[in-house]
Amino acid sequence: MQDTDSQSAGCTTREHSADADLQLQPIKLSHVDALVFRAPVSEPVQTSFGIMYDRPAVLVRMQSQDGLVGWGEIWCNFPSVGAEHRARILQSCIAPILLERTWDNPRQAFQTLHQRLHVLGIQSGEPGTLAQAIAGADIALWDLAARKVGKPLWQLLGGTSEIAVYASGISPSDPEKLALAKQQEGYRAFKLKVGFGRERDIGNLRSLRELLGPDTPLMVDANQAWSADEAQHMARLLAPFTPDWLEEPMTADSPLGAWQQLAAASDITLAGGENIRGEANFRDIVDSGAFGVIQPDLGKWGGFSGCVPVGHYAVAHQRLFCPHWLGGGIGLVASMHLKAGVGGPGYVEVDSNPNPLRDLIAGPYLKPYEGRISLSDEPGIGITPDMDQLRQFQLKY
């Protein structure tokens, strides 16, 4: 699988027609701003490839000429200095294009941004960073578009308000303690981080299975930790504990043939998508048959314009559609609207680790009832950040 960026927004005639059916109103922007935040945490967040010593967020604020405001979020977890850089990319490369004209709909802006910035992505060696900034802008545009017509975004996209969620990011240190706390909060599905050594991974998974019981949905995420051979070996060792899926066991840019070989050798369903860009690449992984779970990250690539078609394609091919998110509250609630709008089986992940930039924004959506959350009927994504609360974490860049 190649991690290349499809600079086309994938706008087929059907998708243009679908936008027309939504009866969206044109958007003329007066302001486009990026706001950078960084919140300290008492315990670092561990992954197999790196550690987060704080929790960053880059929020996108857009105001239309009629005074309405939409919010988005750009993925910015790595490297540790990435938040400020992505904000500058938004202000210097994305905002001037968005302010040039009136947009008929967000997808039109999404496609134009990718086309206009394609060469810059090649020249700078940063197609991923540009795609992330475009994605955050697209989220804000869709929030604004839904607010203009007075509908919640999940409804505008043709979905229903209720979704299933799972507690993710359960770390290799004392995972039972965190899983139990999340279970008491109302979560009924859980995902353990692996990739920290064979014995540790097996011991943690065994402990969680014993704690949660045989019927509780339990997933594992290796964060690209292993080679193809190691992935096959670890899949065999983890299979007796019946995880629902094995996420990114090897690098996301491994050839599709390697993923197909792993899928054929593994008794555990494979999951991936957070590190894939471009609708064509997502269609390839669905068509390959190697992946049972498709996980685009709407703040890394695509926003709603890219990820809604991906979600519909995944669901139509009987895959679980489970949007990825591990960041602040705007992106989390946007991911919930993405899942609700697309429909079909699957979950939205909610990070279990402390994050004030998630909790202060998305607090009402962090306590599910029996593993499910109902989104509000408020227009757009239904939330507006309280800047008075967030200002203590805001940075100049």
Side-chain angles (χ1 to χ4, degrees), residues 73-94:
E73 183 171 351
I74 302 169
W75 180 92
C76 64
N77 291 338
F78 295 97
S80 60
V81 295
E84 293 83 350
H85 179 52
R86 286 162 175 80
R88 294 186 185 105
I89 290 289
L90 187 286
Q91 294 287 183
S92 63
C93 302
I94 311 297

Side-chain angles (χ1 to χ4, degrees), residues 43-276:
E43 294 185 16
V45 179
Q46 300 179 66
T47 71
S48 62
F49 63 84
I51 298 175
M52 298 174 63
Y53 293 98
D54 55 36
R55 302 307 299 266
V58 178
L59 302 188
V60 180
R61 182 185 185 277
M62 291 185 182
Q63 183 170 326
S64 61
Q65 287 193 340
D66 54 7
L68 293 174
V69 173
W71 291 90
E73 183 171 351
I74 302 169
W75 180 92
C76 64
N77 291 338
F78 295 97
S80 60
V81 295
E84 293 83 350
H85 179 52
R86 286 162 175 80
R88 294 186 185 105
I89 290 289
L90 187 286
Q91 294 287 183
S92 63
C93 302
I94 311 297
I97 297 174
L98 290 175
L99 292 168
E100 285 179 357
R101 53 172 286 191
T102 298
W103 302 99
D104 294 336
N105 55 66
R107 189 175 280 114
Q108 181 187 56
F110 176 76
Q111 185 177 28
T112 299
L113 287 166
H114 273 293
Q115 291 172 340
R116 293 269 297 271
L117 297 172
H118 176 58
V119 172
L120 179 61
I122 298 171
Q123 186 70 31
S124 64
E126 292 198 87
T129 308
L130 285 162
Q132 292 156 14
I134 293 171
D138 186 83
I139 296 168
L141 278 170
W142 276 101
D143 182 31
L144 185 55
R147 291 175 191 258
K148 283 181 73 69
V149 297
K151 293 183 178 181
L153 188 49
W154 61 262
Q155 185 182 71
L156 184 67
L157 296 173
T160 57
S161 62
E162 189 174 272
I163 57 167
V165 295
Y166 70 91
S168 79
I170 297 177
S171 72
S173 301
D174 298 319
E176 305 92 339
K177 180 179 179 182
L178 186 53
L180 183 59
K182 292 299 168 182
Q183 187 181 56
Q184 292 171 346
E185 290 177 14
Y187 290 90
R188 297 295 179 261
F190 307 86
K191 188 170 76 181
L192 171 70
K193 286 189 174 295
V194 295
F196 301 94
R198 182 180 66 180
E199 298 306 320
R200 191 178 190 189
D201 291 343
I202 293 173
N204 282 337
L205 185 55
R206 178 187 292 111
S207 296
L208 283 184
R209 181 52 80 201
E210 291 174 352
L211 172 71
L212 300 170
D215 299 325
T216 297
L218 179 58
M219 306 72 129
V220 289
D221 183 358
N223 290 120
Q224 309 183 79
W226 305 314
S227 69
D229 289 342
E230 289 171 333
Q232 288 195 28
H233 179 63
M234 288 302 299
R236 286 194 296 270
L237 295 177
L238 298 176
F241 306 103
T242 62
D244 287 62
W245 73 64
L246 173 56
E247 187 171 330
E248 285 197 329
M250 55 187 183
T251 57
D253 63 352
S254 297
L256 272 178
W259 286 102
Q260 290 169 321
Q261 290 177 1
L262 177 58
S266 173
D267 290 331
I268 311 173
T269 298
L270 300 184
E274 67 179 275
N275 291 306
I276 295 173

